[in-house]
Amino acid sequence: MGELLDLRGLGTAFLIVAVLPETLFIGARALTSDAGFSLMALCMATALGVVGYAAYREQVVTVRRVNALRDPARRDAMIAHLRRTVLRATQRGDYQTLEEAVREAVEALLLAGCWDEVRWFIERSPRGRPAFYRWLMGVSALAALREGDDEGAKNALDSVHVEGPWLESIDALRLALRGDGDDAMARLGDDPPRTSPAVAHQRWLARVHALAAVGRRHEAAMMLAARTDALTAVLVPEGPASSLALGLMHDQGGPFRAPH
């Protein structure tokens, strides 16, 4: 996920570099043109500013937070800071700011692998926009699964209509972890033509456990061998494919895995 942040930042930087010369040209013409053209130039400059700020938030603020959360000496202070930000937004009654604060905090915690802290933020989140709430309930279900709480995960998913590759992949993982491999495979269905890295990871994780649950352990082992960077993810929570992942880790002396 850290690499994904870098790639998104590079893409944003490329966009800015690509359109900046044209924007400067438009701005120069705006000095001698009519008000309508000047307004258009101002709108384009504003849009570039928004894109630049978003890149800053993604590349600088988020990365700094993740680095602090990964550092034992700074973790508690950063968690306290994230909590204060959410509490201030709650006191103001600004639900848009509160949603943003919760989202940014949860994303940083997930990237840093601080799953134990996620539930505090979920419990203080507004219902918010449907898309945001569905994402948050998916995260809540994943947090419950890591705690071995199948009922909690099911309740989180039941609070929203389970459809779309994100929630379906998490529900498939839930089914696979409880040993319902056939139901998990049915829930996964065919791979979507395009999907996000987070969904792709959850689908891979669910499929590995589902294959092991239905006795297709050789196929599961082949999928694990192709992604040794993610073997640790198969162990938490423990499921049908965990022993396979553990065996591969022992054979290879333990893989490196960046928190996902």
Side-chain angles (χ1 to χ4, degrees):
M1 289 297 288
E3 290 82 354
L4 295 175
L5 287 174
D6 293 338
L7 290 175
R8 286 200 294 267
L10 288 174
T12 302
F14 177 79
L15 173 63
I16 294 174
V17 171
V19 301
L20 186 57
E22 182 178 354
T23 304
L24 293 175
F25 172 72
I26 292 173
R29 289 190 58 188
L31 295 175
T32 58
S33 186
D34 58 23
F37 197 84
S38 298
L39 179 61
M40 182 180 70
L42 177 61
C43 290
M44 289 190 65
T46 302
L48 273 176
V50 171
V51 172
Y53 178 71
Y56 169 80
R57 295 286 296 180
E58 187 73 17
Q59 287 299 105
V60 179
V61 177
T62 301
V63 170
R64 285 178 178 173
R65 287 174 173 174
V66 171
N67 288 339
L69 289 168
R70 288 175 176 169
D71 183 354
R74 295 185 291 160
R75 182 180 300 130
D76 290 345
M78 176 52 66
I79 291 172
H81 167 73
L82 295 174
R83 289 187 175 187
R84 285 195 300 270
T85 302
V86 168
L87 292 175
R88 282 197 297 267
T90 301
Q91 291 169 357
R92 289 197 299 266
D94 184 345
Y95 290 106
Q96 182 174 351
T97 302
L98 176 56
E99 177 183 311
E100 181 179 355
V102 170
R103 178 184 60 79
E104 291 179 352
V106 170
E107 286 180 348
L109 290 167
L110 297 185
L111 287 167
C114 300
W115 282 91
D116 293 343
E117 303 294 336
V118 168
R119 191 164 299 283
W120 187 94
F121 293 89
I122 292 175
E123 291 173 349
R124 286 156 181 81
S125 172
R127 188 175 183 91
R129 296 173 295 110
F132 169 75
Y133 188 70
R134 289 165 59 79
W135 170 77
L136 196 65
M137 288 301 97
V139 173
S140 179
L142 288 174
L145 288 176
R146 292 180 69 88
E147 297 171 358
D149 183 6
D150 178 78
E151 184 177 356
K154 186 176 186 305
N155 290 338
L157 293 172
D158 286 346
S159 68
V160 292
H161 184 53
V162 179
E163 64 177 2
W166 167 244
L167 293 179
E168 288 175 352
S169 66
I170 296 171
D171 194 35
L173 176 60
R174 181 186 68 82
L175 292 168
L177 291 175
R178 61 186 291 179
D180 296 336
D182 289 328
D183 290 340
M185 295 291 287
R187 171 63 85 179
L188 285 171
D190 297 328
D191 290 331
R194 297 179 62 183
T195 188
S196 70
V199 172
H201 174 79
Q202 294 302 329
R203 287 183 60 85
W204 173 85
L205 195 58
R207 193 175 298 280
V208 166
H209 281 293
L211 287 170
V214 297
R216 296 161 61 179
R217 294 175 62 85
H218 179 68
E219 294 176 60
M222 290 181 63
M223 290 183 65
L224 289 170
R227 281 201 57 186
T228 56
D229 65 307
L231 288 177
T232 306
V234 183
L235 305 179
V236 183
E238 184 178 355
S242 296
S243 61
L244 294 175
L246 192 60
L248 284 173
M249 290 177 66
H250 179 72
D251 291 342
Q252 298 180 11
F256 166 78
R257 171 176 174 261
H260 189 284

